[in-house]
């Protein structure tokens, strides 16, 4: 085993142990939680090692980095998630490799992704990103995401858009506002929003929440997907 492979294997084992313990503590089955490894700022060679180590879900947050990496790794049995703020002019590129876009936060992006998915002849799973720190009536949170009172409208648009599938909700724990420092309550709020939407959209079961620092709180709150970067790959060499 190369040093890097051994390092990734050890980190993955530690993260797996954390997820398993959190599931046990919450009385949940391990299979209820899917690990998505966020590979942003790390090379395609790491993605390849992760795939060899059994990782099946990876995520990226910038199209200019993700597009060539996904092309390099096109032979691997991976599901690619896009989790970053997305400009409409990048929709066509993202629809070429992503299986899911977790960061849908405005109607214009729904329109752009729908057109792009149709052109690519692919079905794109979509999550609405919820900004729990955005005020009611405010269009978007500081780090992307729709205010909670806009989620229902976006869900309806996604469910009706050709080429798209509405799969659920995503959030990042807010740094400001009433949920700052209260990750588990923030994630519980996301789960509550998700339960309400499922009355209308029963198949939209994905609840994507929790990162390296707060995956336990996400599992406790009921998340179905955790997005883990640094705990698997190490501290990022640059901001990403
Ligand atoms: C970078 C990123 C993550 C992973 O964060 P870590 O703290 O490195 O685990 C998760 N979700 C999103 C949207 C990200 O941009």
């Amino acid at each position: 085993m190369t040093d890097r492979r051994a390092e990734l294997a050890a980190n993955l084992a530690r993260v797996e142990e954390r997820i398993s313990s959190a599931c046990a503590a919450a009385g949940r089955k391990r299979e209820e939680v899917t690990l998505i490894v966020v590979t942003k700022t790390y090379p395609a060679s790491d993605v390849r090692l992760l795939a060899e180590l059994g990782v099946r879900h990876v995520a990226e947050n910038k199209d200019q980095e993700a597009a060539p990496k996904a092309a390099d790794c096109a032979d691997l049995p991976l599901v690619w998630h896009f989790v970053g703020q997305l400009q409409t002019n990048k929709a066509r590129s993202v629809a070429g490799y992503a299986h899911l876009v977790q960061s849908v936060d405005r109607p214009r992006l729904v329109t752009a992704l729908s057109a792009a998915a149709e052109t690519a002849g692919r079905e794109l799973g979509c999550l609405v990103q919820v900004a729990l720190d955005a005020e009611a009536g405010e269009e978007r949170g500081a780090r992307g995401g729709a205010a909670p009172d806009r989620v229902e409208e976006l869900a309806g648009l996604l469910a009706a858009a050709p080429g798209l599938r509405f799969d659920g909700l995503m959030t990042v724990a807010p740094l400001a506002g009433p949920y700052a420092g209260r990750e588990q309550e923030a994630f519980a709020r996301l789960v509550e929003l998700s339960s309400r939407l499922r009355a209308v959209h029963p198949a939209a079961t994905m609840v994507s929440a929790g990162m390296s620092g707060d995956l336990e709180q996400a599992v406790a709150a009921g998340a179905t997907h955790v997005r883990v970067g640094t705990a698997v790959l190490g501290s990022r060499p640059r901001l990403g």
Side-chain angles (χ1 to χ4, degrees):
M1 248 208 264
T2 63
D3 288 353
R4 183 57 171 160
R5 188 188 166 101
E7 182 184 358
L8 291 176
N11 290 349
L12 269 178
R14 226 171 289 129
V15 167
E16 178 52 41
E17 171 59 33
R18 285 176 62 189
I19 297 173
S20 298
S21 303
C23 285
R28 302 182 64 193
K29 293 202 193 76
R30 172 63 189 87
E31 312 85 79
E32 291 176 32
V33 179
T34 299
L35 169 65
I36 303 170
V37 178
V38 184
T39 47
K40 64 190 182 195
T41 78
Y42 285 95
S45 55
D46 279 351
V47 178
R48 196 162 286 280
L49 290 172
L50 289 168
E52 287 170 17
L53 292 166
V55 169
R56 285 297 166 261
H57 293 262
V58 294
E60 289 283 333
N61 74 334
K62 287 197 175 69
D63 176 60
Q64 67 193 56
E65 180 188 347
K69 214 185 282 186
D72 272 1
C73 298
D75 59 311
L76 302 174
L78 291 169
V79 176
W80 290 81
H81 298 250
F82 191 87
V83 298
Q85 292 190 50
L86 182 54
Q87 295 168 273
T88 50
N89 64 1
K90 299 285 170 60
R92 187 185 278 241
S93 173
V94 169
Y97 58 85
H99 300 91
L100 291 108
V101 175
Q102 298 203 2
S103 45
V104 177
D105 60 2
R106 57 199 192 281
R108 263 171 52 78
L109 189 53
V110 176
T111 311
L113 285 170
S114 175
E118 290 253 285
T119 304
R122 304 181 72 211
E123 186 182 57
L124 203 52
C126 290
L127 278 66
V128 174
Q129 181 180 350
V130 185
L132 291 165
D133 53 348
E135 303 290 336
E138 193 178 21
E139 174 110 9
R140 290 161 80 191
R143 293 180 297 162
D149 66 331
R150 324 243 352 201
V151 170
E152 201 177 324
E153 176 202 353
L154 285 166
L157 290 173
L158 285 173
L164 306 184
R165 195 179 63 232
F166 174 51
D167 282 343
L169 301 180
M170 180 271 251
T171 203
V172 177
L175 297 174
Y179 290 108
R182 299 161 60 205
E183 291 83 4
Q184 191 162 328
E185 288 163 76
F187 298 147
R189 173 86 175 111
L190 187 75
V191 169
E192 181 193 315
L193 289 168
S194 162
S195 316
R196 252 191 269 160
L197 277 177
R198 266 180 283 134
V200 184
H201 307 283
T205 56
M206 283 181 71
V207 178
S208 173
M211 322 200 295
S212 294
D214 53 21
L215 73 86
E216 283 84 1
Q217 287 90 333
V219 171
T224 63
H225 291 70
V226 293
R227 311 178 306 270
V228 180
T230 53
V232 172
L233 289 140
S235 299
R236 281 181 286 278
R238 55 189 160 87
L239 266 183

